[in-house]
Amino acid sequence: MRLLHAFFDDEAHDFPAHERPAAVGSPASPSHKAGTRLAHMLVGLLVGTTAGLGAALVSADLVQVRQLLGLSPTQAAWLSTSYVVAAVPANLLLVKVRRQYGLRRFALVALALYAAAALAQACVTDIAAMLLLRVIGGFVSVTLIPLCLFHAMQAFPAKWRLRGLVLGIGITQCAVPLARLLSPSLLVVDGWRSLFLLEAGLALLSLAAVGVLRLPPADRARVLQPLDFLTFVLLGGALAAIAAVMGLGRFEEWLQTQWIVVTLLASPLALLAAGVIELRRATPLIDLRWLAHGDVWRFAAAVFLIRLVLAEQEIALGALRWFGAHPNEFESLAAVMLASAVAGVLTSTMCVDAEKIARPMMLAIGIVAGAALVDSAATEPRHLALLYASQAAIAFAGTFFLGPGLLLGITSALRHGGSALISFIVLFGVVNALGAVAGPALLGSYMDWRLAAGVAEQAARSDTMRLAAVLGLATTLYLALLLLLRVRRRLAELRSEVGASAASNEEAPAAGSGWTQPRVVPAIGVLMAALAIGGVLLILAAFGRI
């Protein structure tokens, strides 16, 4: 028992003020040696890839998975949407769970559940069981993204920690092009089972890596209260229902389906009830008073709009299929998109500037609008080169904007204390997930409407991509308005904050905590090695190497 306690919990450590976390539940920020920073970077890369591929492997291969399992379009849509339906409300509750029970225990249990759910999905064929496992996987997957961010931030010196934040969120977004690149090789081995074997293998590797390499200790506090669960049921249930409507509406004919109408009528009432409860509480689940600020909602709307526009990629890939592109051309495009997405992450990481945050977002969405307009002009197979260039540009912009977007909200939240920071993280996760599921649904529905009106398929697709371009232009103008409203007004404040932070960082070496990585107990080392070997074997099995 003592060994398990030492494995799951961190020893208390007295960190100086400049190394303490901004919020309870987040790790401290001591200085590390170069080798330890590199190890944190590798673990962040592994955990972030695992988190991103969980949803991407199914959504990127939904047509093939549907054919292999003999699913209807609605069942296939549920298979993809159920993951998001569980992940959206999980953002609300799991932040407080982490703050109360500790980051390390939280991460290890979540990774173990994630690996078990992925492995079970490779063994079941019943659609109901698979949906249940997708819900479990989606719920616990929310824990992996902050874990990736924390490890990525530890990989940088104190003065560059914001770069680590940008890099960490970007890693998770490279999963979609990576899934498109890997999936053809996986599906030819053992069909849909190979997808989940890869997911389970990565989860076991992540569990072993997190078990060996500890994050610095995080503060804990008793924050969970009975009313939190009522708020979670009301608010989380309403958000999950909205996500389900977004994901299934296109296939269920929107307002012509009874459950969608009931959901759209009941969800606002549940949201209102949750809001009334939260506003009357001294320690709410989320800080609605701060979220009600105009700046916060304007930011949330910007992220949601950008996510809608990025859904143009799905329409463009449909054009490739219509042109009769060969499988090797799809693989080449996936490789180009992955390289562009990685370039977007690295560029965003290197160029991040706390005083110029809205401008990169404007640049990114402007690129997407222009690329969507180019795509709409691609009407013949000889235009494949145009699609390659435009999709590479969109992949770059899709990862380039996220870091500055996350930073834009965090700089505002940090000035309002730890509760605002936690609420912002919840908001960012919810809006990002809802936008990712709403974009394909809305653009796809517009294309279906054009087809129903008698327009030829290629003309309907071009119209849809032009609509995405118009949305991109409108979002760019909206971000320009945000720049005028926000950035100039706060530049002086940001300069003072950055100056104070720099002064604190200069004093840090003289008052360092001296915290170092604890030694790994031999028995624990053997167990983690066994998990890592199991993970490698599952990955090899997924690719048919054993």
Side-chain angles (χ1 to χ4, degrees), residues 231-252:
T231 301
F232 172 71
V233 170
L234 291 172
L235 184 56
L239 291 173
I242 291 171
V245 169
M246 291 292 185
L248 275 296
R250 180 185 179 187
F251 304 95
E252 296 277 8

Side-chain angles (χ1 to χ4, degrees), residues 16 43 133 199 206 261 270 319 372 386 392 409-410 426 494 516:
V43 173
L133 292 169
E199 189 178 343
S206 297
V261 175
L386 287 177
I410 285 180
V426 171
L494 288 173
T516 57

Side-chain angles (χ1 to χ4, degrees), residues 275-291:
V276 170
I277 293 171
E278 289 294 280
L279 289 173
R280 292 176 177 271
R281 298 177 61 192
T283 56
L285 185 64
I286 58 173
D287 189 350
L288 289 180
R289 288 183 175 84
W290 178 74
L291 291 179

Side-chain angles (χ1 to χ4, degrees), residues 242-330:
I242 291 171
V245 169
M246 291 292 185
L248 275 296
R250 180 185 179 187
F251 304 95
E252 296 277 8
E253 299 182 357
W254 293 104
L255 297 179
Q256 299 181 29
T257 304
Q258 184 176 1
W259 75 266
I260 291 181
V261 175
V262 172
T263 297
L264 292 177
L265 291 175
S267 294
L269 297 177
L271 292 173
L272 179 62
V276 170
I277 293 171
E278 289 294 280
L279 289 173
R280 292 176 177 271
R281 298 177 61 192
T283 56
L285 185 64
I286 58 173
D287 189 350
L288 289 180
R289 288 183 175 84
W290 178 74
L291 291 179
H293 289 173
D295 284 347
V296 179
W297 283 111
R298 283 192 286 268
F299 162 79
V303 173
F304 186 81
L305 287 171
I306 291 172
R307 275 296 173 199
L308 288 183
V309 178
L310 288 173
E312 189 271 351
Q313 282 191 312
E314 296 298 326
I315 307 299
L317 290 175
L320 278 176
R321 297 186 186 95
W322 189 82
F323 288 157
H326 299 296
N328 61 332
E329 290 176 319
F330 275 102

